[in-house]
Amino acid sequence: PDYTITATPSDSGAAIADSMYGVFFEDINYAADGGLYAELVRNRSFEFLPADRSGYNGLTGWTVNAGTATTASDDARLNDRNRTYLRTTGAASLTNAGYNSGLAVQKGQIYDFSVWARADAGAQLTVSLGGAALTKAITTDSWAKYTGTLRATDTTDAGRLSVDVDNSARLDMVSVIPRDTYKGHGLRKDLAEKVAALKPGFVRFPGGCLVNTGSMYGYDAANNYPRARSYQWKDTVGPVETRATNTNFWGYNQSYGLGYYDYFQFSEDIGAKPLPVLPALVTGCGQNRATNDPALLQKYIQDTLDLIEFANGPTTSTWGKLRAQMGHPKPFGLSSVAIGNEENLPDQYFANYLQFRDAIKAKYPNVTVISNSGPDDTGATFDNLWAKNRAAGSDMIDEHYYNSPSWFLQNNARYDAYDRSGPKVFLGEYASLDAKFANSLAEAAYMTGLERNADVVKMASYAPLLANIDNTQWRPDLIWFDNDESWGTTSYQMQKLFMNNVGDRVVPSTTTGAVVQPKPITGRVGLSTWATAAKYDDVKVTTPDGATLLSDDFGDGNADGWTSLSNRGTWSVQDGAYVQSDTAATNTMVAAATDITATDYDITMKATKT
Ligand code: AHR
C-alpha cells in the first residue's frame, strides 16, 4: 500500500535512557528454587509444610528407601529459623528427586555437596549422584557442616541424590550446587545467560504479588517463627541455613536461597540497576487487607531504610557490614525502590506510601521512590492513585497491564496524552495474553509507543520472566525451562531486539497513506478482568459487522472452547454460568475462546457479569 513514513532528524524527540528496558524477576512458576537458583536438592532443609500447598510435608522431594527416617522439630534443631530436620533412627537410606524429572548432572562436571549433621554416637554418611560418591564421618553429636565434591561420571536429566547413614543421625541443609554457576555466584548458568543476553537496564524483583501478600505479621508467636508472611528482605540474607523458609503467594515453599544479596549481585553481574519492591503493609493482588498498626508500619519503613544501607552503606554501618561479610564490600549502587504492588485499597496504600516516601527522602534524597497505580490499567482506583500521586509530587508510578494483542495495537498512543510535568511512568509489568507470534508483534508495536513517549515512560519490563514447564502459575512468560533446558518465546526475541538496540533519542516522524489494517489472526480472544467470585454468562464474541464468532450460554454444563490462561482462581461451569469460585482473592480471569478466525482485530467480547 501507499504508505510513507517521513523521519526528520532533530533533537526535539525524547531522549531514551539506556535503562529504559529491564526485566521483572518474580518467584512465580518456580522461577527461584528449581529455576534461577542453582540448588539441585528440593526441600533441602525439610521445611516444606502442608500449609504451603496440599500434598506437601517435611519429606516432600525425599523418599525413604530403607531404615527409619522422619522429620523432627524439637530443641535439637539446627537453629531457631531452621526448625525442622531429618532424624534417622539407626541406619537409613534416602533419595532426593530434585525438580522436574530429577537432578540434572553432566559427566565431568563438579557438584559441591554440603550438609549440616550430627550423630548420636558417630556415623558414616555416604552420598552419591551421577555415578560419583563420597563419604563423610560424622564424628560429633553437635551440628557441624560437612562438605565435599562429586564429579559426575554420567550425564542425566533424571538423577537422584542418594543419602545413606549407617547409624542414628540428624541431617539438615542437604545441598548440591553445580560448581559452574553464572559468574560463580550460585545462579543456574543457562537461565542467567538468557536473562543477561537481553542486556536489561534494570532488574525489578522480587515481585509482584509475592511481595505484599500473606499475613502481615506471619509469625508463629509460640515459636517466634516467621511463616506465611509478606516478603521480608532481612529473612533472605546471611548464611543460607539461617534463612527461614516461607510459603509464597503462588502456593509453594520458597527457600530464600536466592535472596536480596543474590539479586543485587545478579543485577551487577548483568550490568543492570537493581530495583527492589518492598511490601507496603497493605495487601494487593485482589486481597483487601490493611493493617492499622503504626508500630508495624514503622518497622516496615525502617526495614526499607536498612535495605538501602545494606545496598549502599559503608562497611562500617550495620547493614553495609553484612553486605561486606557476604562478599561485596563495595556498594551495589541502589538508586530506586518501589513501594507496594497492585494494592486494592488505594487510600490505605497511599497513606502508607507517603510515610515510606517521606522517610526515604529524608535520609536518602537521591533515591527514586516509585509508587503505583493499583491493580488496573484504568478505572476508579487507577484514577484515584494517579491523582493522589500527582498531587503529592511522586517521582514515578508503576503501572501494570496484561491485555489482548488487539488492545496493545489499539493503545499505542496511551502515553501521548500523559502530563509531561507529572510523575514519570514505570511500566513494571505488561504482556499481551496468549503465546503466539502475533503477541510479540503487538508488543513490538506497543513498545514503539513507549519509546515515542520516553520523556514520560522511563522504564518498562515484560512479565513474568521465567516459567518452569512443570510448575506454572501464570502464562505467557518470557523464558521457559525444565531442569536442564531453557528456551525463549517469540516475545523474548522481541524484547531482546529492543533491549539490544536501545536508541539514544526519538526521531520525530510523520506518516501518510492508507492505514494498514492488522492482518487476520487465528487464535484466541480473552476477557481479562479483576473480579472476586465472578460469574459470567452469555459470552459472545462478535465482529464489527455483527457476525457472531462464538457464543456460549454455558447451558450445556460445559465451557466449550474456553480455557483459563491464568491460574489465579478456579473456574468452572455452575448453574449455567462460568464461575470463578475462589472468594478469598480477587482473580484475573483470562478466559480464551479457541479456534476463532477473526477478520480483523476489532472483535468484541461481551459477557453478562452477575
Ligand atoms: O506477573 C504476574 C503477576 O501479575 C504479578 O505478580 C502481579 O503483580 C500481577 O498481577
Side-chain angles (χ1 to χ4, degrees), residues 383-459:
D383 291 345
N384 181 348
L385 279 169
W386 254 99
K388 282 178 162 44
N389 278 301
R390 212 174 277 120
S394 293
D395 293 333
M396 203 177 278
I397 313 301
D398 182 9
E399 292 190 356
H400 296 175
Y401 36 84
Y402 299 89
N403 274 309
S404 64
S406 53
W407 183 94
F408 279 92
L409 291 173
Q410 287 159 3
N411 285 275
N412 179 278
R414 177 185 177 98
Y415 296 108
D416 290 358
Y418 267 50
D419 176 6
R420 273 32 212 173
S421 61
K424 303 302 178 195
V425 172
F426 168 33
L427 178 49
E429 295 181 27
Y430 72 100
S432 72
L433 291 168
D434 205 348
K436 293 194 163 43
F437 188 56
N439 293 68
S440 29
L441 295 179
E443 287 151 10
Y446 193 75
M447 289 165 86
T448 65
L450 301 180
E451 286 192 359
R452 191 175 59 252
N453 288 285
D455 56 328
V456 168
V457 183
K458 290 293 174 190
M459 296 187 293

Side-chain angles (χ1 to χ4, degrees), residues 24 26 28 204 207-210 250 285 341-342 400 402 429 463-464 474 530 568 588:
F24 164 44
E26 176 168 26
I28 183 175
R204 175 181 185 245
C209 291
L210 186 80
W250 300 105
C285 300
N341 181 78
E342 297 191 5
H400 296 175
Y402 299 89
E429 295 181 27
W474 186 286
W530 288 89
R568 248 199 262 165
T588 302

